[in-house]
């Protein structure tokens, strides 16, 4: 088990626990869309919707930080290896 994966996860170096690059793309998309929706909701005076979208945007930022930390750990463990979007 590598340090770039959570403890007690079933993944190995050859078969990752989660597709980090795909998670990165999806979290980035979620962050952008939630920020846009929060701004649009705030402009139309839907404060509750703007707050919900803002909270989801913060969740996406936290997920991006976790993903980047795992990708950095994977890069330290496997220097020079390039991973596709689904690895």
């Amino acid at each position: 088990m590598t340090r770039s994966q959570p403890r007690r996860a079933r993944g190995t170096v050859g078969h990752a626990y989660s597709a980090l690059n795909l998670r990165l793309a999806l979290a980035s998309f979620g962050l952008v869309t939630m920020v846009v929706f929060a701004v649009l909701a705030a402009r139309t005076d839907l404060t509750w919707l703007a707050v919900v979208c803002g909270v989801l945007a913060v969740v996406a930022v936290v997920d991006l930080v976790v993903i980047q930390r795992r990708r950095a750990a994977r890069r330290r463990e496997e220097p020079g290896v390039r991973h596709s979007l689904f690895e």
Side-chain angles (χ1 to χ4, degrees):
M1 194 85 41
T2 64
R3 282 183 264 150
S4 61
Q5 297 184 32
R7 292 183 182 163
R8 295 179 298 278
R10 290 187 230 167
T12 63
V13 174
H15 181 69
Y17 174 71
S18 68
L20 293 178
N21 294 336
L22 180 60
R23 278 184 60 193
L24 180 69
L26 292 174
S28 299
F29 175 75
L31 174 63
V32 170
T33 56
M34 285 300 110
V35 167
V36 168
F37 288 158
V39 169
L40 290 175
R43 292 180 110 197
T44 58
D45 294 328
L46 292 171
T47 308
W48 67 270
L49 185 59
V51 170
V52 169
C53 290
V55 168
L56 291 174
V58 169
V59 169
V61 168
V62 170
D63 194 29
L64 284 169
V65 169
V66 169
I67 293 166
Q68 283 299 96
R69 289 183 53 132
R70 287 188 184 164
R71 288 180 74 218
R74 182 174 65 183
R75 243 178 282 141
R76 281 192 306 272
E77 293 168 2
E78 302 172 347
V81 176
R82 303 262 323 175
H83 292 278
S84 72
L85 181 64
F86 301 104
E87 292 183 83

